[in-house]
């Protein structure tokens, strides 16, 4: 009895299914069944389903209470394979892959649908073209051959499996939703912003701060308009190039304090105010549409709702259900540990394998015990800050950890020369596309005005610009950031499997943080599962190394209490 099956939903609501052999080819005839959920529920022995798109199939299964163990997402695999082949950006749909295979005209991908605020299952509506199962299996077989032609087939297959597992996790998180107290949220907004005025105008506290800013300048100034603020400073004899906090807060002017406070509160009002609460929270849950692998680096994004940028003060509204807890887990110093694993630098691997703080260990070796300087040096090497103090720090790192620095230097050189750059498992960074600020966002680098750049310089790689040096900085970061994304996918897959027999549910994930919502009595088991999943993911991703990937975990009733 085959434990791997393929399925293809039909436009009339039915489904085609077929068993697959060890070679990935059909091991039996294609069968027609009338109900998708029953076709899957009736085959509990199937451990992996091959289908066109998890977004098309899995939310429909979850809505009927059907959960699958593993899957192979053909369209997600197509994205990874196109990137590896240097064809990133070409249409990724199964229909496009079939057209390329048969030499026909390649159709464009369908436009991405906007998320529906507060929807129970935002991915429920299928997107893309239905293909007969025979056609899907032809694409699948060709993808297996293309995996064999990659630089490291075993790693690439692991990446594809991990990405498909991430798609399952994302769909389950979308279904579960983040526990959210609308009452607490309203209380927080009232405390911060004051009363709401009728007509949709600014709340009381923002109006008061706007008046203070105007009074400080001696004329009416709109603090929500950067050009107006810059002009007001210029008239006061102060030249500024932007209204970013790190640029204006050191100025000696009475408008600075209310302006900084206004900008902080204005962002909360616009991004997570009363309108956001009404749009996105239903029945005690916030349901953003998590998109696994939504960026070039493999990091996740959300299609609406701003889930990956929840201000700390708003996290007070993320409250566990009665009798339940939130297990909040943060990976400790993830990027330098990933760099140690992928560079195989003996010194950095030894440091990353210790129980002690990694940056302190680096500082003891190369920076005379100055932890802050060591942290700046390591992050500067990863993010490409190689001028001024960054150059001196890099030289100190190179003496102590030569293979680690050489690894990111080579990635930067490849980026500058327009060559393809890959993560440890094979996710590929294309040589150019888009614009610099978009590239910075895809790399996961700071774009928030409240983020202080290292050394007073911005971490904007401008990877996609025509500037070769900027592309090199992005590639330098990509090999670390992307490999970290690969590792976290396997972490999520392992944690999902560990929680399969528990009531616990994954409800939130971003970059290096995961939140599990569970009954209070399961919290200890979840903490252990996170620790074990991290170790397993490290072995699967990087092989046997001494590098540790520890997590700081907190069991809390409210998200804000975790930090």
């Amino acid at each position: 009895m085959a434990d791997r099956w393929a399925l293809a939903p039909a436009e009339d609501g039915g489904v085609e299914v077929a068993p697959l052999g060890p070679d990935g080819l059909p091991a039996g005839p294609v069968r027609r069944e009338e109900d998708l959920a029953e076709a899957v529920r009736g085959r509990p022995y199937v451990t992996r389903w091959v289908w066109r798109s998890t977004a098309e199939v899995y939310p429909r299964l979850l809505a009927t209470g059907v959960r699958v163990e593993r899957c192979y997402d053909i369209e997600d695999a197509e994205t990874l394979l196109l990137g590896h082949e240097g064809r990133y950006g070409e249409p990724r749909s199964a229909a496009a892959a079939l057209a390329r295979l048969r030499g026909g005209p390649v159709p464009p991908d369908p436009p991405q649908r906007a998320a529906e605020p507060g929807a129970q299952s935002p991915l429920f509506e299928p997107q893309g073209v239905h293909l007969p199962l025979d056609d899907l299996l032809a694409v699948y077989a060709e993808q297996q051959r293309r995996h064999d032609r990659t630089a490291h087939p075993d790693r690439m297959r692991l990446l594809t499996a991990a990405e498909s597992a991430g798609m399952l996790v994302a769909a389950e998180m979308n279904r579960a939703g983040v526990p959210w107290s609308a009452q607490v949220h309203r209380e927080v907004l009232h405390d911060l912003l004051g009363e709401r005025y009728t007509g949709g105008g600014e709340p009381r506290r923002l109006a008061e701060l706007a008046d203070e800013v105007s009074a400080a300048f001696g004329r009416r100034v709109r603090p929500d308009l950067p050009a107006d603020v810059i002009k007001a400073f210029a008239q006061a004899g102060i030249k500024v190039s932007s209204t970013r906090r790190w640029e204006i807060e050191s100025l000696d002017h009475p408008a600075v304090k209310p302006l900084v406070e206004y900008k902080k509160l204005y962002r909360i009002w616009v991004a997570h105010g009363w309108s956001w609460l009404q749009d996105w929270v239903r029945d005690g849950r916030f349901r953003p549409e998590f998109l696994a692998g939504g960026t070039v680096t493999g990091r996740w994004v959300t299609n609406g709702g701003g889930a990956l940028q929840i201000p700390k003060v708003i996290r007070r509204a993320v409250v566990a259900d009665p009798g339940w807890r939130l297990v909040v887990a943060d990976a400790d110093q993830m990027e330098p540990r990933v760099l140690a694993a992928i560079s195989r630098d003996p010194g950095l691997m030894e440091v990353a394998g210790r129980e002690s703080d990694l940056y302190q260990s680096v500082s003891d070796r190369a920076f005379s015990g100055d932890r802050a300087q060591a942290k700046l040096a390591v992050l500067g090497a990863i993010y490409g800050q190689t001028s001024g103090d960054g150059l001196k720090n890099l030289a100190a790192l190179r003496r102590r950890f030569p293979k680690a620095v050489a690894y990111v230097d080579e990635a930067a050189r490849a980026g500058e020369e327009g060559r393809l750059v890959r993560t440890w498992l094979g996710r590929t960074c294309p040589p150019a596309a888009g614009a610099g600020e978009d590239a910075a966002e895809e790399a996961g680098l700071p774009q928030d005005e409240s983020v202080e750049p290292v050394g007073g310089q911005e971490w904007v790689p401008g990877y996609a610009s025509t500037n070769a040096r900027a592309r090199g900085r992005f590639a330098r970061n990509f090999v670390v950031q992307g490999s970290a994304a690969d590792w976290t996918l396997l972490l999520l897959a392992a944690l999902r499997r560990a929680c399969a027999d528990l009531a616990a549910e994954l409800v939130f994930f971003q970059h290096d943080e995961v939140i599990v919502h569970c009954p209070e009595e399961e919290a200890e088991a979840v903490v252990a599962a996170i620790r074990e999943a991290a170790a397993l993911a490290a072995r699967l991703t990087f092989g046997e190394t001494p590098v540790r990937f520890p997590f700081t975990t907190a069991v809390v009733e409210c998200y804000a209490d975790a930090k």
Side-chain angles (χ1 to χ4, degrees), residues 5-33:
W5 282 61
L7 68 80
E11 293 189 48
D12 62 2
V15 60
E16 293 180 317
V17 295
L20 300 177
D23 55 1
L25 297 175
V30 173
R31 308 175 190 180
R32 161 79 187 200
E33 301 195 15

Side-chain angles (χ1 to χ4, degrees), residues 117-120 172-182 276-288 317-322 324 326 503 505-507 517-518:
Q120 173 69 20
E172 290 169 3
M173 287 169 53
N174 293 337
R175 178 74 183 174
V178 181
W180 202 280
S181 170
W276 180 94
L277 179 61
Q278 181 177 350
D279 286 343
W280 288 98
V281 177
R282 291 285 187 280
D283 303 322
R285 291 292 186 272
F286 164 40
R287 290 187 174 87
V318 182
V319 180
D321 292 344
W324 286 53
L326 301 172
E505 53 190 10
L506 278 75
V507 296
H517 187 222
C518 66

Side-chain angles (χ1 to χ4, degrees), residues 211-260:
D211 288 342
E212 290 181 35
V213 171
S214 296
F217 282 119
R219 71 171 182 83
R220 192 65 189 167
V221 174
R222 289 276 304 275
D224 58 322
L225 299 178
D228 203 14
V229 174
I230 292 172
K231 181 179 179 181
F233 273 122
Q235 291 174 343
I238 301 173
K239 184 178 180 180
V240 295
S241 60
S242 75
T243 61
R244 293 178 182 271
R245 178 185 60 81
W246 59 266
E247 183 173 357
I248 67 174
E249 67 179 356
S250 61
L251 301 176
D252 184 14
H253 192 280
V256 170
K257 184 177 180 180
L259 179 60
V260 170

Side-chain angles (χ1 to χ4, degrees), residues 333-367:
Q333 304 153 339
M334 180 171 67
E335 281 85 357
R337 296 178 187 279
V338 168
L339 176 58
I342 61 180
S343 69
R344 295 305 205 253
D345 185 289
L348 192 55
M349 284 196 295
E350 190 272 329
V351 165
R354 296 180 184 178
E355 296 285 343
S356 57
D357 175 80
L358 182 144
Y359 292 127
Q360 187 61 56
S361 296
V362 171
S363 72
D364 292 341
R365 282 199 168 203
F367 295 94

Side-chain angles (χ1 to χ4, degrees), residues 46 89 195 210-211 227 282 296 370 386 406 469 524 540 548 550:
V46 176
E195 297 79 14
D211 288 342
R282 291 285 187 280
V296 168
D370 188 336
T386 56
R469 187 177 177 187
E524 187 175 334
L540 290 173
R548 296 173 57 251

